[in-house]
Amino acid sequence: MRRLVQGFAAVFIAAFVLMFVTHRLNEAEGYGGGKTVTVYNWGDYIDPALIREFEKETGWKVIYQTFDSNEAMMAKIAQGGATFDVAVPSDYAISKMIEEKLLLPLDHRKLPNLQYIEPRFLNLSFDPHNRYSVPYFWGTVGIVYNREMLGGKTITSWNDLWDPSLRNQILLVDGAREVMGMALNSLGYSLNDTNKAHLQEAKRKLDRLMPNVKAIVGDEIKLLLANEEAAIGVVWSGDAAEIIAENDKLDYVVPKEGSNLWFDNMVIPKTAKNIEGAHAFINFMLDPKHAAQNAEYVGYSTPNKKALRYLPKDIAGDRRFYPDLDSAGHLEVYENLGKQMLAYYNELFLQFKMQQK
């Protein structure tokens, strides 16, 4: 009997140790809870000093993990393995996550700093009344161009990119919605167009652009443009700000035909373990001084109207990155096109990419 009791005790101790080790490993891998807040964000998309300040102020340790696409982020959350307390998806992804019941409603009573968000950035189509998300950064998609490399030429239109003199001079960001949207806008169509005849027309026009395309790339587009490896790039506005900071020969323009107005918002995934900590982190990032510090570090535009007071004037007053949206009716937010239509966009974009030499 004594041996039997000892055997049970050994099994119990081993099981307890295994549970403890598993718990610690889970925390490290994003299975949050307890004294941790697990944040899932884009790479290089927060000032690390703010994480340290949040930890010091609240006593919660932040476990910070990154993703490189909305699709990868949504897939990981949908699988339900790793737990994330806060995530930062883009507008169309938020709509999709709401549809698929991947998000928890926010308690606005725990987010007093929400009052500082510019009203025009609230209650948008992808999340009415901001029930599930609050703005983090916003921006546009446009064109960075090197005036000297273009002999003083100014770019104002998407259609300028089809100029034969620009052969092998253009870098495109590796994004189906951005590149297909560019072509659709150049034809006078919406970047949310679902008419397959229009999409095929846009694809044919992109094919005619290929002689001017030097490469279709990811994050390296910033370094390539700053180092004058190409004269023109189609990029997000925050990347444009970073590139221009490295090389003042460059300029940024939102083409006159129209473009994308995008938003990245903070949400609480349905598998969150530390809901209190998630609200605390979101509210911390909504603090005007924190929002200004974050915007200056990352280079993207803050939706926090009071934060603009704490930004250097040359940043807050730069109309390339803080445009007058009252007169920007040609900008569109990406809509959730649904799985089939999004797959069709991706298919056309892949066909275009395969033509690269």
Side-chain angles (χ1 to χ4, degrees):
M1 178 61 72
R2 182 180 298 173
R3 289 181 179 177
L4 186 60
V5 171
Q6 289 174 337
F8 277 124
V11 170
F12 176 79
I13 292 170
F16 178 80
V17 170
L18 181 60
M19 287 174 62
F20 176 78
V21 171
T22 301
H23 173 73
R24 295 307 297 266
L25 288 173
N26 284 346
E27 282 190 345
E29 291 298 321
Y31 296 73
K35 295 294 185 181
T36 64
V37 178
T38 307
V39 178
Y40 200 26
N41 199 356
W42 300 86
D44 198 24
Y45 212 39
I46 192 171
D47 183 347
L50 286 171
I51 293 179
R52 294 191 294 270
E53 186 174 340
F54 173 79
E55 291 177 329
K56 182 178 179 180
E57 185 177 301
T58 65
W60 278 308
K61 176 177 172 54
V62 174
I63 299 172
Y64 191 82
Q65 296 194 31
T66 63
F67 55 86
D68 58 11
S69 75
N70 280 295
E71 288 65 34
M73 175 271 303
M74 286 189 287
K76 193 159 188 177
I77 289 175
Q79 288 167 3
T83 295
F84 301 104
D85 300 310
V86 178
V88 188
S90 303
D91 34 46
Y92 75 92
I94 293 168
S95 173
K96 185 175 176 62
M97 294 174 82
I98 293 171
E99 184 180 291
E100 297 183 2
K101 302 187 185 324
L102 296 178
L103 302 178
L104 295 177
L106 299 174
D107 185 346
H108 286 197
R109 294 170 300 179
K110 296 179 179 179
L111 302 173
N113 289 333
L114 187 57
Q115 65 179 303
Y116 300 119
I117 297 297
E118 171 66 46
R120 75 184 74 193
F121 297 139
L122 298 172
N123 195 29
L124 297 176
S125 60
F126 58 87
D127 182 19
H129 308 295
N130 293 91
R131 189 179 179 205
Y132 295 95
S133 71
V134 296
Y136 182 68
F137 281 127
W138 69 279
T140 56
V141 173
I143 301 169
V144 165
Y145 63 98
N146 189 309
R147 296 181 298 274
E148 286 193 9
M149 292 180 70
L150 295 176
K153 181 178 179 179
T154 298
I155 300 292
T156 62
S157 164
W158 288 122
N159 283 300
D160 289 340
L161 303 187
W162 275 262
D163 186 332
S165 68
L166 299 179
R167 187 177 184 86
N168 203 38
Q169 283 296 315
I170 298 174
L171 298 175
L172 298 179
V173 67
D174 191 3
R177 293 297 298 269
E178 287 72 27
V179 176
M180 287 296 296
M182 169 187 78
L184 287 165
N185 279 161
S186 75
L187 292 165
Y189 300 138
S190 166
L191 48 72
N192 294 307
D193 204 322
T194 57
N195 183 315
K196 289 192 174 181
H198 293 170
L199 292 171
Q200 286 288 348
E201 185 182 356
K203 163 61 169 52
R204 290 193 296 272
K205 187 166 183 179
L206 281 177
D207 291 343
R208 297 195 295 273
L209 180 67
M210 187 53 80
N212 290 359
V213 176
K214 184 167 189 173
I216 301 171
V217 293
D219 284 343
E220 61 269 34
I221 195 169
K222 294 182 285 187
L223 183 62
L224 292 171
L225 288 167
N227 289 343
E228 301 187 359
E229 297 292 332
I232 294 173
V234 174
V235 299
W236 293 285
S237 54
D239 286 351
E242 187 176 337
I243 295 164
I244 292 169
E246 294 293 324
N247 187 336
D248 61 8
K249 297 176 187 176
L250 296 159
D251 203 354
Y252 176 75
V253 64
V254 176
K256 60 186 179 182
E257 298 94 341
S259 189
N260 171 230
L261 175 66
W262 57 261
F263 297 89
D264 288 340
N265 283 20
M266 294 178 283
V267 303
I268 300 179
K270 70 172 186 178
T271 53
K273 296 296 184 184
N274 188 350
I275 296 173
E276 181 184 358
H279 280 92
F281 183 85
I282 292 171
N283 194 58
F284 176 88
M285 297 305 298
L286 292 174
D287 177 273
K289 289 186 178 180
H290 298 158
Q293 179 179 333
N294 204 33
E296 189 169 1
Y297 176 87
V298 176
Y300 278 78
S301 302
T302 176
N304 192 308
K305 62 180 184 292
K306 191 172 180 180
L308 297 178
R309 301 180 192 176
Y310 302 109
L311 283 171
K313 290 183 180 179
D314 62 329
I315 294 178
D318 193 332
R319 293 301 170 216
R320 294 171 299 182
F321 307 112
Y322 287 93
D324 178 9
L325 295 180
D326 290 331
S327 59
H330 61 310
L331 298 177
E332 296 178 88
V333 176
Y334 287 138
E335 295 175 3
N336 176 15
L337 301 179
K339 287 184 179 180
Q340 289 187 334
M341 185 52 62
L342 185 57
Y344 190 63
Y345 267 69
N346 289 334
E347 178 186 344
L348 293 177
F349 180 54
L350 180 59
Q351 290 174 13
F352 168 64
K353 287 173 64 176
M354 289 175 65
Q355 297 182 54
Q356 288 186 94
K357 295 181 180 179

